[in-house]
Amino acid sequence: MSCRMDNKAYLVQMNGDGVHGKNMVQPKSLIGTGVAGKGMLGNGVHHVNVNGSLYPAKAKSRRQRWEVKASEMANNTLNPIRAIVDGMKLSPNPDKPMIALSIGDPTVFGNLPTDDAVLQAMKDAVDSQKFNGYAPSVGYLKSRQAVANFYSCPEAPLEAEDVILTSGCSQAIELAIGVLCNPGDNVLVPCPGFSLYKTLAVSTGIKVKLYNLLPEKSWEIDLQHMESLIDERTSCLIVTNPSNPCGSVFSKEHLQKILKVASKHCVPILADEIYSDMVFPGCNSPSLASLSSDVPILSCGGLAKRWLVPGWRLGWILIHDRNDIFGSEIRQGLVKLTQRILGACTIVQGALESILNNTPPSFYSSTISFLKSNSEICFSELSTVPGLNPVMPSGAMYLMVGIEMNHFPDFKNDVDFTERLVTEQSVFCLPASAFEYPNFFRIVVTVPEEMMVEACARIREFCQCHYQPLSCEDLDQ
Ligand SMILES: Cc1ncc(COP(=O)(O)O)c(C=O)c1O
């Protein structure tokens, strides 16, 4: 070991794992590991200043001024809804109270409280004091077992090991994309579709290819278009059923056709089923996995919508892999990804078994009846408004309305249309450009019934004010 004065620093030369300078502070875990820590050059040469702290003896390429920049990932993280809404001038008419039909949070108006059994489960979890610590990163075994029991069916059986608990369905989607895709790969995403898929993919260098949904066919997938987009770098097909923003529910036959395309091209599916079972009476909505004989599926879901507690941030991934195509690699990959943040909130995990087992069926059915009734009010009101073409939903919490823009020459596009609807009528609907689908807007149907009725009346008045019949010249074009 040799020491010399070097610009107020002692240089401590170490041989092998040898002896440390008196003032060397080296984490125990790094001793002898060859891992260079702060102040270590990785070649056994360490620098210690007179005060005993560590710093390099010769600062290479020292910065002359502050320059702290956001990472590429941060800069590439874009939420299209924010990008559009933040750019809108939203100044409501002071004579009319604001009605926001734009927020996909069923709790905002207080008219759709969660069930007492759900609240009790949470209170019990807190009072027990058993869930204040860290859980395994994939979630407590008991809670995973509860989810497996809840969703298992003979066609798609689930064990606890097939369930990963996450921080909301959003994190489930993030992990699923993260484990299946590399930068440069592409994912197939519905259009119109939930904007988070693109936000997550693009920020990590994954490309997004949008496949069309067909409003005239109740938003079924244009299967030919979807298939035409698949190439050797397509690493995942995202299917949202029931749909945000469309409120559509695919039939069993349509789901089978989707599976056929995925099977033909060996593309795994990320099934976003956060609205599973939120389907109107008379509609059947099997899970994709229950119909799949070979296609491996990561089904993402959570408590947010069906149990009406989006703020509780509890989601899950159900791994369906009957033919062992994902195998241990994808399972291990998912486990590794959960270790980045050590998983979902433990209190909610503690309440999960009770939430799933004790919520009465009447809670689910009354929520669905309300959503259906509000959808029917909205659909029948807007169907008779000149220039608007609402599409009746079959589930979830949304309804899409087409705007015949050629009848509304006062407005450039759906963003302009919805902005002026706020200015004149204090009604805010999300322009569907936020879902990459211009000339439509989305209505959230969770608002109280009287608000829905009032909002529809104002939308009618607005359209009547601005609607222009087509001239002969327009018709000739
Ligand atoms: C289709 C879809 N997937 C996922 C999510 C995210 O759910 P969570 O709030 O559990 O993260 C939403 C939320 O609106 C959604 O609409």
Side-chain angles (χ1 to χ4, degrees):
M1 185 168 107
S2 68
C3 296
R4 69 179 167 85
M5 284 287 273
D6 180 17
N7 193 21
K8 287 194 191 157
Y10 297 105
L11 188 144
V12 184
Q13 180 80 50
M14 283 168 43
N15 302 314
D17 331 287
V19 195
H20 298 270
K22 195 176 165 208
N23 293 322
M24 277 300 293
V25 184
Q26 187 183 24
K28 261 192 191 152
S29 58
L30 292 182
I31 295 174
T33 61
V35 178
K38 196 177 172 190
M40 295 167 66
L41 301 179
N43 55 2
V45 179
H46 300 251
H47 302 278
V48 183
N49 77 356
V50 281
N51 300 323
S53 63
L54 304 175
Y55 68 93
K58 257 191 201 164
K60 283 188 189 150
S61 65
R62 252 186 64 206
R63 293 200 185 104
Q64 301 300 313
R65 58 191 161 81
W66 281 100
E67 195 176 16
V68 184
K69 295 209 159 156
S71 68
E72 276 176 38
M73 188 209 181
N75 284 329
N76 290 334
T77 300
L78 300 170
N79 178 338
I81 297 184
R82 286 266 56 89
I84 288 186
V85 173
D86 292 349
M88 292 172 82
K89 277 185 238 86
L90 300 174
S91 2
N93 178 342
D95 298 330
K96 299 191 180 203
M98 184 70 182
I99 303 178
L101 300 177
S102 56
I103 312 164
D105 178 347
T107 71
V108 282
F109 296 100
N111 58 321
L112 286 175
T114 190
D115 193 74
D116 284 346
V118 177
L119 294 175
Q120 192 57 49
M122 192 68 151
K123 289 175 195 164
D124 292 345
V126 173
D127 288 345
S128 75
Q129 302 228 41
K130 285 190 201 153
F131 305 107
N132 297 335
Y134 290 117
S137 63
V138 289
Y140 290 120
L141 188 63
K142 217 163 164 248
S143 315
R144 296 164 72 202
Q145 186 65 58
V147 176
N149 294 347
F150 193 79
Y151 283 105
S152 193
C153 62
E155 305 79 31
L158 287 167
E159 303 285 343
E161 66 178 21
D162 303 319
V163 177
I164 287 182
L165 300 182
T166 57
S167 177
C169 183
S170 303
Q171 198 208 1
I173 295 166
E174 182 182 37
L175 298 189
I177 292 176
V179 81
L180 294 175
C181 312
N182 280 309
D185 287 352
N186 63 72
V187 290
L188 305 191
V189 166
C191 179
F194 184 49
S195 53
L196 181 70
Y197 314 131
K198 187 171 175 183
T199 303
L200 292 174
V202 169
S203 63
T204 48
I206 298 158
K207 298 194 175 95
V208 163
K209 291 188 175 185
L210 301 175
Y211 63 81
N212 293 332
L213 304 182
L214 303 167
E216 65 280 11
K217 287 187 152 187
S218 302
W219 300 108
E220 279 192 348
I221 297 174
D222 180 343
L223 292 165
Q224 258 188 326
H225 181 235
M226 184 179 86
E227 187 168 3
S228 74
L229 299 174
I230 298 175
D231 62 24
E232 66 287 351
R233 297 230 48 189
T234 303
S235 46
C236 150
L237 162 62
I238 299 182
V239 177
T240 319
N241 185 49
S243 157
N244 174 10
C246 304
S248 51
V249 178
F250 294 148
S251 67
K252 179 177 172 189
E253 293 68 33
H254 190 59
L255 291 170
Q256 283 167 329
K257 287 181 189 160
I258 298 167
L259 285 165
K260 213 168 154 191
V261 176
S263 175
K264 181 173 160 195
H265 296 277
C266 301
V267 178
I269 292 182
L270 187 172
D272 183 345
E273 296 181 330
I274 183 78
Y275 299 99
S276 74
D277 299 304
M278 291 181 78
V279 300
F280 299 164
C283 231
N284 187 18
S285 97
S287 69
L288 253 181
S290 69
L291 303 173
S292 171
S293 55
D294 59 339
V295 180
I297 294 172
L298 297 178
S299 168
C300 299
L303 290 182
K305 310 292 173 166
R306 196 172 172 204
W307 286 268
L308 303 172
V309 285
W312 290 11
R313 311 307 303 134
L314 198 287
W316 48 72
I317 300 177
L318 312 179
I319 306 170
H320 293 281
D321 187 25
R322 201 107 28 102
N323 294 357
D324 212 21
I325 293 166
F326 284 149
S328 62
E329 180 160 339
I330 294 296
R331 286 173 187 271
Q332 280 308 313
L334 283 169
V335 172
K336 285 183 191 169
L337 290 177
T338 62
Q339 288 165 352
R340 288 158 64 104
I341 65 156
L342 280 191
C345 169
T346 51
I347 293 281
V348 194
Q349 289 190 45
L352 195 53
E353 186 180 10
S354 181
I355 291 174
L356 298 177
N357 294 341
N358 298 337
T359 305
S362 57
F363 167 75
Y364 306 124
S365 54
S366 76
T367 309
I368 289 167
S369 300
F370 174 82
L371 295 173
K372 181 174 186 232
S373 159
N374 247 7
S375 300
E376 282 169 348
I377 291 169
C378 183
F379 177 77
S380 70
E381 282 300 311
L382 298 188
S383 295
T384 57
V385 172
L388 295 187
N389 296 311
V391 184
M392 181 62 194
S394 308
M397 315 180 334
Y398 312 97
L399 184 152
M400 286 275 272
V401 183
I403 315 165
E404 293 172 10
M405 289 308 305
N406 51 353
H407 282 291
F408 295 101
D410 294 348
F411 312 117
K412 287 197 293 281
N413 51 36
D414 54 315
V415 178
D416 205 14
F417 182 98
T418 48
E419 190 176 275
R420 284 281 290 283
L421 184 56
V422 173
T423 318
E424 293 177 24
Q425 297 289 346
S426 301
V427 173
F428 184 37
C429 305
L430 209 58
S433 287
F435 308 108
E436 315 244 12
Y437 209 76
N439 303 342
F440 273 76
F441 60 87
R442 185 194 74 174
I443 286 180
V444 177
V445 297
T446 55
V447 297
E449 184 183 316
E450 59 280 10
M451 250 188 213
M452 180 58 83
V453 172
E454 170 68 16
C456 288
R458 293 197 212 163
I459 294 172
R460 175 185 297 279
E461 192 181 316
F462 177 79
C463 289
Q464 280 167 347
C465 265
H466 295 281
Y467 182 87
Q468 299 282 331
L470 296 182
S471 67
C472 294
E473 276 169 30
D474 291 328
L475 291 169
D476 285 347
Q477 279 171 9

